[in-house]
Amino acid sequence: MNSKIPAREKLSEVESEFFGNVHEIHFLYTVRRITAEEGMERMHDALATYQRRITELWKDYMEDKVE
């Protein structure tokens, strides 16, 4: 039996984390706890992390498909 977490579950986890970060950034900006510049920096970091994790998932998926 395959003990790996299914790809859809991993993707769902990555997406939930990303949108949670976006929601937090929006909330902090809305209540004026961060500036627009800080919000943009955090958004850039969140997006970079999301892109990196999606790329890792894709590589894992392709490696599993080849094996």
Side-chain angles (χ1 to χ4, degrees), residues 8-20:
R8 285 181 191 231
E9 192 173 321
K10 287 181 183 179
L11 179 59
S12 179
E13 180 183 311
V14 170
E15 288 176 339
S16 292
E17 180 182 330
F18 173 69
F19 289 114

Side-chain angles (χ1 to χ4, degrees), residues 31-63:
V31 297
R32 309 248 186 257
R33 300 228 175 166
I34 61 174
T35 64
E37 184 176 311
E38 290 170 318
M40 290 303 294
E41 288 174 11
R42 289 182 183 206
M43 190 67 72
H44 182 267
D45 292 343
L47 184 57
T49 299
Y50 177 71
Q51 288 175 320
R52 179 181 50 77
R53 292 196 56 204
I54 290 294
T55 301
E56 290 169 359
L57 283 176
W58 180 252
K59 285 179 183 177
D60 290 347
Y61 172 76
M62 292 306 289
E63 287 173 3

